[in-house]
Amino acid sequence: MEIQVDAVPTAVHTSTHPQHTPETFKPLLSKLISSPSSFSRSDAVLAFEHLLDPTSTYPSQIGSFLTALHLSGREADDDVLAGGAEVLRRHAILVDVPPEQAASGKDRVVVDIVGTGGDGHDTYNVSTTAAIVAAGAGARVYKHGNRASTSSSGSADLLMALGCPLSPPRASSHQQQQPPFRFLLAPHHHPLLAPLAPIRRSIPHRSIFNLLGPLVNPSRPAAIVLGVARPELGATFARALAKDETMQRAWVVCGFEGLDEISCAGPTRVWEFRRREGGEEESEGDVGDGVIKEFVVDPTEFGLQPHALETVKGGKGPEENAHTFIQLLDPNGKRDEDEGKLGPIRDFVLMNTAAVLLVAGIVEGLPQGVQLARESIASGRAWDAFCAFREWDRA
């Protein structure tokens, strides 16, 4: 998920750190170029504080910085990602998340499912659909997303095609009923990135901002399923998530095909981060007060048969994907697509939903997650979760 902010909001261009200037940014840029391996998390924090202040850097410095991060490979370093994410979260317009309890008496944690994008497979909007199905199954999903950057239909494009205006943030009281699924459009919550948009468009490569989106959800979720398109990013993102004190459990996933989702076609690599509970002994794979484990899952572990990626391709645009979404979830809708087309996409959604329910602590195993996801769809609760959000968004 890329953070794209094209329109510059009003009342944003005030200096956040008057002591930051192009001269104070120059040593950071010099260090990154001359000794990239020594460019630390604290350096990244200071550099991003400069980037978010329009008076603290020249456009040429910003372009040089993003290019140096890219060519040195430091944009994919967990310390640099964690530092950049820390600053973006600090300056984001955060979402007020009222406390809620499940029937068991436990707090209902906020969970997200998101990918970095850029996998080139242009599959159906599985993460958005899985988020809504998970909400229908009892999860509290605040999905952070945007319009399409590298595919024909991004999460925001799908929801807008379904009639959601994706309204800007508004004040809400804790007494106001919150829908179980919410969508947080990135540009609404990261306005300080707006001045960087022309510079980012002028450079001929993807930048660190293409990677930071999944790490800066303004609702501060405690659990996440995060897809990456390159396996070498898996452990990097798991370590970066471990450095976010709010995060309790995460699955970073990458299909063997280079898919930034849990693949319905075959094996998927998983890097699981879990915060240790009080009294739990340390073990191999420890990172701070948590542990990271790497393993592989495939469709049979979900109790499902594999489907070729060709069978879960997205439509030519968001309108076609919206039609598929309605065919999948609306219990009262007319079915004009055969099961041969919907079945593989449904299983694709079931697999990814199961992972969301697992990291959210709602189920203890993937087959149980698939069963709850099936029930969410069959009962109409998934469709109800979507309709509740659309009505809330339009209010």
Side-chain angles (χ1 to χ4, degrees):
M1 184 204 116
E2 179 180 358
I3 306 178
Q4 301 169 332
V5 185
D6 296 321
V8 182
T10 58
V12 165
H13 291 281
T14 55
S15 180
T16 54
H17 290 278
Q19 71 273 27
H20 293 164
T21 68
E23 285 301 310
T24 60
F25 185 71
K26 193 180 296 184
L28 293 166
L29 181 56
S30 177
K31 181 177 183 180
L32 175 61
I33 293 172
S34 63
S35 181
S37 62
S38 66
F39 195 80
S40 65
R41 178 177 179 174
S42 59
D43 292 327
V45 168
L46 186 54
F48 272 84
E49 289 287 3
H50 279 77
L51 294 186
L52 296 191
D53 184 340
T55 67
S56 295
T57 50
Y58 297 127
S60 58
Q61 290 179 313
I62 298 172
S64 296
F65 177 75
L66 296 178
T67 299
L69 278 178
H70 181 72
L71 295 178
S72 67
R74 294 298 285 170
E75 67 182 9
D77 176 80
D78 55 282
D79 273 334
V80 174
L81 285 170
E86 176 188 333
V87 175
L88 264 61
R89 289 193 298 263
R90 183 184 304 145
H91 292 287
I93 298 173
L94 297 179
V95 176
D96 187 25
V97 181
E100 288 185 9
Q101 286 190 328
S104 63
K106 293 183 178 179
D107 289 337
R108 294 181 67 211
V109 302
V110 171
V111 61
D112 189 10
I113 174 170
V114 64
T116 59
D119 64 13
H121 289 289
D122 205 16
T123 53
Y124 170 75
N125 295 97
V126 64
S127 64
T128 308
T129 309
I132 291 168
V133 175
R140 194 180 189 192
V141 188
Y142 283 40
K143 180 168 172 54
H144 185 222
N146 213 332
R147 298 175 179 86
S149 172
T150 58
S151 66
S152 61
S153 175
S155 51
D157 302 305
L158 173 68
L159 292 170
M160 289 189 290
L162 288 163
C164 302
L166 304 185
S167 305
R170 62 180 184 269
S172 61
S173 70
H174 282 198
Q175 286 72 41
Q176 184 180 0
Q177 183 66 34
Q178 301 281 323
F181 167 80
R182 286 182 60 182
F183 184 80
L184 312 175
L185 185 64
H188 289 162
H189 296 274
H190 303 282
L192 290 180
L193 292 179
L196 302 181
I199 301 169
R200 291 173 57 197
R201 284 194 294 266
S202 73
I203 57 179
H205 55 77
R206 289 166 66 86
S207 76
I208 191 171
F209 290 102
N210 296 89
L211 301 176
L212 282 172
L215 300 175
V216 295
N217 185 320
S219 70
R220 302 305 308 277
I224 193 170
V225 175
L226 194 164
V228 296
R230 307 196 320 265
E232 60 267 26
L233 292 174
T236 295
F237 268 89
R239 291 191 298 266
L241 288 166
K243 293 168 184 174
D244 176 2
E245 67 280 0
T246 304
M247 190 58 58
Q248 298 300 310
R249 191 174 184 183
W251 269 30
V252 180
V253 301
C254 181
F256 271 35
E257 314 87 351
L259 184 71
D260 69 337
E261 318 277 3
I262 296 175
S263 176
C264 63
T268 296
R269 294 179 177 88
V270 180
W271 296 262
E272 180 185 52
F273 166 73
R274 183 175 56 81
R275 194 79 62 186
R276 281 199 307 272
E277 298 179 358
E280 188 176 347
E281 294 184 0
E282 296 184 5
S283 61
E284 185 179 352
D286 280 3
V287 179
D289 61 349
V291 61
I292 294 173
K293 294 181 179 179
E294 182 179 348
F295 50 92
V296 174
V297 297
D298 64 47
T300 61
E301 295 180 51
F302 295 78
L304 298 168
Q305 295 298 311
H307 302 282
L309 287 187
E310 285 297 320
T311 65
V312 294
K313 286 286 189 182
K316 295 179 181 178
E319 291 75 19
E320 285 191 22
N321 285 356
H323 178 75
T324 300
F325 176 94
I326 293 169
Q327 294 281 295
L328 285 170
L329 300 191
D330 185 357
N332 301 313
K334 180 182 177 182
R335 296 290 185 271
D336 58 16
E337 293 184 4
D338 60 52
E339 185 62 23
K341 178 177 180 180
L342 287 178
I345 294 177
R346 183 185 298 111
D347 284 356
F348 193 21
V349 170
L350 293 176
M351 292 175 65
N352 283 272
T353 303
V356 174
L357 297 175
L358 184 70
V359 299
I362 294 173
V363 299
E364 296 183 357
L366 296 173
Q368 183 190 5
V370 168
Q371 182 59 34
L372 279 187
R374 284 192 193 278
E375 293 171 1
S376 174
I377 294 172
S379 66
R381 290 193 297 271
W383 181 253
D384 291 342
F386 165 69
C387 292
F389 168 69
R390 184 169 59 182
E391 181 178 347
W392 182 87
D393 188 31
R394 289 172 171 176

